[in-house]
Amino acid sequence: MKIRSFVVDTSRSPCAKLRPVPVESVHLEDDFWAPRLRTLREVTLPAQYQLLEETGRIFNFRRTALKEKGDFKGLFFNDTDVYKWLEAVAFSLASAFDQRLYDLARQVVADIAAAQDEDGYLDTYFTFNRKKDRWTNLRDMHELYCAGHLLQAAVAFYRATGERNLLEVACRFADLIASIFGPDKRTGTSGHPEIEMALVELYRTTGNKSYLDLAKFFIDKRGMGLIGGREWCGIVLSGTYHIDHKPFRELTEIVGHAVRSLYLNCGVTDLYMETDEQALWDALIRLWRNMTERKMYVTGSVGSRHEEEAFGDDYELPNVRAYSETCATIANVMWNWRMLLVTGDAGFADVMELALYNGALAGISLDGKEYFYVNPLADRGKHRRQRWYECACCPPNIARLLASLPGYFYSTSSEGIWIHLYAKNTARLDIMENSVTIIQRTKYPWNGEVEVILQPEKEASFSLSLRIPGWCREAKVLVNGQALKIHIEPGKYAEIRRLWKSGDRVHLSFSMPIERVICHPYVMENTDRVALRRGPIIYCVEQVDNPDCDVWSLVLPSNSPLEVEWMPNLLNGVTVIRGEASAIVAEHHLYRSVKDVSPKVRPTRLTAIPYYAWANREPGPMTVWIRSAVA
């Protein structure tokens, strides 16, 4: 059987409508994404390897294997950063083989394998004098979380290279865990979800049903009070932090630590695809609606509270104090991808695209060397990306997301081919015993014109489902220059059924005006404010582009015309938004009666840049939400 680098392998999942396309089948070309993947391969991944060495994360594996002497380095879950880096390298190798990265990865795989205990256990923190503490604190010590990331890295590396070394390591560890936990064995579940989706993917890779059963067991045990509350400042907090306050099937509101919550949802969605349990799906839909309708930022980021890195209450979406952890936004992409595979519903693709182009992409600098952990939507110039973190979950996480990106563009089904994302690329897909080459020509996301050229090896009838983005007010679809009488609706897929011949061309035209976005009135911080959106891109105003006033004082009149300008030499090439605005003249008084003063304003110009590109130049104030009478 040919090994393929699927991001999520639903090719045999009975309850998935869509089938994955391998990462290696899609070649992104020089436009928006290809330079970023090249930077990832040439700069980010080698630099992250050096940081893994400098900070002792790889040393911990060599220490465990008795190749090095010294104390354990760093946080007790540091193994996961190595695993995520390795997963990122695997996806990168699938897209474009790089001998240097391959050699580094094989070296790391050898170090990991050498650190495995005789019984299959593998966690470099719980070695030597800490062996006695294994499995004694599932709530806090992340053993199952670390194991999950190992399993995901092993599956990705096997699919990219065909080499089984790390996969065998992962299976031995998973077998050990299955021998300890289960309905007739020890009970418990992980304080940090991750292993659930990893076990399902390991089942999909090996066919060993015990891994699927174990994933179900861990999900079923959540909400039974087995995790318990976490201590914070001497107070035992409720089980909502770990999403342990009620069984998953009874959840009605998305709560708790945002990354934990969304990783759990990923695992449950994977489990549903294999089991068709309606109660799981009903809960997933409730949680998705609660998140997207009440708890998600305009950038697709989630997790508003610094306290516990958690989802807040409904409409609790502060800007300066937004937590919006990069990992949480990545998890939002991962979950919506799985929900899309189940349904073929474009609403999930819309959220995935929003989070990808905005909240997630802001997590890495344009040069690929620095990272955000927290992503505020307004700032006074103090928040800057860092080269690394003591808790470095976000840097290798954004690396693995970007490396796997080609696998998100297309899917297939029993009806035909689905196009989810748009960028200049060439893809080769297998469908209905036919090989089809698809060529996309576009300047998306800066331009809404997309040409899709189909080249099937032999003429064939199948459907081509094209996502009409939810942000698009008007779309046109032509085939070989002729308009079609098909249903076209924003936020849906336009389906074209026909006999396809080599050279057939589909032209998509998405209207891409500048939109003023307003917020729900219960989000008090954004009253009388607008955010600017064009296509999938959310914009912000940054001080360096607006030197004549403090950007926090800007007022955008509702009737002020706005225009776009392509700036090839700015921020690696971006389209900016410009327009006439006003600036409030600052008063020295903190409070004054409205009878004593009328606001003083002066005319100025406004320049807005894509949110993902902020904080790549000199520090200064920034805001996404701008005062405006229209709100």
Side-chain angles (χ1 to χ4, degrees):
M1 183 180 70
K2 184 179 179 181
I3 302 167
R4 296 180 176 182
S5 294
F6 299 123
V7 179
V8 176
D9 185 3
T10 61
S11 56
R12 292 181 298 278
S13 301
C15 297
K17 180 173 184 175
L18 304 184
R19 304 303 184 220
V21 167
V23 170
E24 62 267 21
S25 295
V26 181
H27 176 64
L28 294 172
E29 300 170 19
D30 283 332
D31 64 339
F32 188 88
W33 288 113
R36 287 169 169 81
L37 298 191
R38 187 164 54 247
T39 297
L40 177 76
R41 185 169 60 251
E42 297 175 357
V43 177
T44 304
L45 291 173
Q48 286 189 1
Y49 173 81
Q50 290 302 319
L51 287 160
L52 294 172
E53 287 281 16
E54 289 176 20
T55 58
R57 284 163 166 83
I58 298 176
F59 161 85
N60 288 335
F61 288 95
R62 296 179 186 139
R63 168 185 177 268
T64 301
L66 302 177
K67 296 179 180 179
E68 301 268 7
K69 293 182 179 181
D71 295 330
F72 179 89
K73 308 290 186 183
L75 301 175
F76 53 88
F77 50 84
N78 272 2
D79 289 3
T80 60
D81 299 328
V82 178
Y83 298 146
K84 279 183 281 190
W85 175 85
L86 192 56
E87 186 179 353
V89 170
F91 285 124
S92 183
L93 291 173
S95 290
F97 185 80
D98 182 288
Q99 187 67 47
R100 177 179 57 162
L101 286 177
Y102 176 63
D103 292 342
L104 287 176
R106 293 194 71 196
Q107 177 184 315
V108 171
V109 168
D111 288 333
I112 292 171
Q116 188 166 35
D117 214 337
E118 292 181 358
D119 65 354
Y121 186 89
L122 181 50
D123 189 312
T124 66
Y125 182 78
F126 290 97
T127 55
F128 308 127
N129 64 321
R130 294 195 183 100
K131 277 190 175 184
K132 65 184 185 300
D133 299 323
R134 292 176 180 177
W135 312 123
T136 60
N137 186 351
L138 298 181
R139 182 189 69 189
D140 301 320
M141 297 309 293
H142 288 26
E143 283 173 276
L144 292 173
Y145 171 72
C146 291
H149 276 300
L150 168 61
L151 269 54
Q152 286 185 310
V155 168
F157 196 73
Y158 166 67
R159 290 174 176 170
T161 67
E163 297 176 12
R164 299 187 59 88
N165 296 25
L166 193 61
L167 184 66
E168 291 171 359
V169 169
C171 288
R172 286 186 64 207
F173 196 13
D175 291 341
L176 174 67
I177 297 170
S179 74
I180 296 172
F181 297 94
D184 57 344
K185 308 180 187 75
R186 179 173 173 173
T187 194
T189 193
S190 178
H192 196 312
E194 159 65 28
I195 195 169
E196 299 85 354
M197 59 175 149
L199 283 167
V200 177
E201 206 62 37
L202 190 62
Y203 156 71
R204 290 165 172 161
T205 304
T206 65
N208 187 335
K209 191 173 180 294
S210 68
Y211 303 147
L212 179 65
D213 294 339
L214 187 57
K216 183 178 185 300
F217 171 79
F218 286 140
I219 289 168
D220 289 345
K221 290 304 174 184
R222 190 162 232 96
M224 302 295 182
L226 299 174
I227 298 174
R230 184 176 72 93
E231 289 192 9
W232 179 72
C233 296
I235 301 172
V236 177
L237 302 173
S238 70
T240 56
Y241 173 83
H242 296 99
I243 314 94
D244 191 42
H245 55 300
K246 63 173 66 174
F248 188 89
R249 295 161 180 82
E250 299 176 14
L251 294 176
T252 58
E253 178 185 8
I254 197 160
V255 297
H257 184 279
V259 179
R260 283 171 163 86
S261 183
L262 293 177
Y263 278 7
L264 176 61
N265 292 353
C266 287
V268 174
T269 309
D270 281 329
L271 180 64
Y272 168 77
M273 283 191 269
E274 306 303 326
T275 65
D276 193 23
E277 184 186 337
Q278 189 63 38
L280 293 177
W281 182 250
D282 291 343
L284 288 165
I285 290 296
R286 289 194 300 269
L287 297 177
W288 187 84
R289 287 175 176 163
N290 179 247
M291 181 187 74
T292 57
E293 294 172 5
R294 302 186 178 203
K295 297 188 177 184
M296 187 174 74
Y297 282 99
V298 71
T299 58
S301 296
V302 290
S304 59
R305 290 185 180 175
H306 282 246
E307 180 184 344
E308 296 192 324
E309 303 179 316
F311 284 100
D313 294 330
D314 289 354
Y315 309 111
E316 183 186 337
L317 295 167
N319 294 319
V320 177
R321 292 294 296 165
Y323 196 70
S324 300
E325 183 184 341
T326 298
C327 280
T329 310
I330 293 166
N332 199 17
V333 174
M334 293 166 58
W335 181 31
N336 277 277
W337 174 238
R338 286 162 168 79
M339 298 290 276
L340 175 63
L341 291 174
V342 173
T343 63
D345 188 328
F348 300 118
D350 281 342
V351 175
M352 181 178 73
E353 181 185 64
L354 175 70
L356 178 63
Y357 275 97
N358 300 286
L361 194 55
I364 185 170
S365 62
L366 295 178
D367 63 8
K369 297 178 181 179
E370 296 182 321
Y371 311 91
F372 274 152
Y373 195 110
V374 176
N375 293 274
L377 277 74
D379 180 58
R380 292 303 298 168
K382 297 181 180 180
H383 189 68
R384 310 301 290 176
R385 293 180 184 84
Q386 297 182 30
R387 178 173 175 256
W388 200 243
Y389 296 86
E390 180 186 17
C391 175
C393 53
C394 296
N397 212 4
I398 190 66
R400 70 172 180 155
L401 174 68
L402 293 177
S404 65
L405 184 63
Y408 290 89
F409 274 76
Y410 300 91
S411 294
T412 62
S413 70
S414 57
E415 293 84 21
I417 294 171
W418 298 64
I419 302 182
H420 308 304
L421 300 175
Y422 299 102
K424 188 177 180 181
N425 72 81
T426 299
R428 290 175 176 82
L429 315 181
D430 294 325
I431 180 171
M432 301 176 184
E433 300 181 350
N434 196 3
S435 178
V436 180
T437 297
I438 296 182
I439 302 170
Q440 279 194 44
R441 293 291 176 261
T442 181
K443 294 183 179 179
Y444 195 94
W446 313 121
N447 186 294
E449 303 299 314
V450 183
E451 185 174 49
V452 179
I453 305 169
L454 287 88
Q455 297 176 342
E457 281 191 354
K458 54 187 177 182
E459 294 182 7
S461 295
F462 57 86
S463 66
L464 180 66
S465 295
L466 307 155
R467 183 174 69 93
I468 309 300
W471 50 258
C472 177
R473 297 297 183 114
E474 182 181 351
K476 296 179 181 178
V477 181
L478 304 177
V479 175
N480 297 328
Q482 300 296 314
L484 297 181
K485 293 182 179 180
I486 60 172
H487 181 66
I488 299 174
E489 181 181 348
K492 303 289 184 180
Y493 283 88
E495 183 182 16
I496 305 173
R497 291 181 176 270
R498 60 176 279 130
L499 176 68
W500 296 99
K501 303 176 181 179
S502 183
D504 281 344
R505 294 172 180 262
V506 178
H507 188 89
L508 301 166
S509 182
F510 303 132
S511 63
M512 200 176 275
I514 301 166
E515 295 273 3
R516 288 170 164 88
V517 179
I518 61 172
C519 206
H520 191 285
Y522 291 176
V523 183
M524 298 297 290
E525 276 201 28
N526 296 337
T527 300
D528 297 326
R529 291 176 180 267
V530 297
L532 299 178
R533 178 183 66 198
R534 183 173 182 268
I537 303 294
I538 301 298
Y539 281 75
C540 69
V541 284
E542 196 174 18
Q543 192 63 56
V544 64
D545 302 303
N546 300 274
D548 294 339
C549 68
D550 188 317
V551 294
W552 281 26
S553 72
L554 282 169
V555 180
L556 182 61
S558 59
N559 59 353
S560 175
L562 298 171
E563 57 189 25
V564 297
E565 181 179 355
W566 170 247
M567 303 289 289
N569 298 318
L570 179 67
L571 298 168
N572 291 353
V574 293
T575 292
V576 302
I577 296 174
R578 301 191 194 277
E580 299 295 330
S582 301
I584 298 173
V585 179
E587 296 281 354
H588 296 295
H589 300 277
L590 182 58
Y591 306 108
R592 298 185 72 177
S593 169
V594 294
K595 297 180 180 179
D596 295 338
V597 65
S598 59
K600 298 179 180 178
V601 297
R602 60 179 177 81
T604 188
R605 292 279 297 173
L606 171 151
T607 298
I609 65 166
Y611 172 78
Y612 74 76
W614 83 279
N616 280 280
R617 296 168 292 173
E618 63 188 69
M622 177 279 296
T623 185
V624 170
W625 292 96
I626 306 165
R627 288 182 179 87
S628 177
V630 75

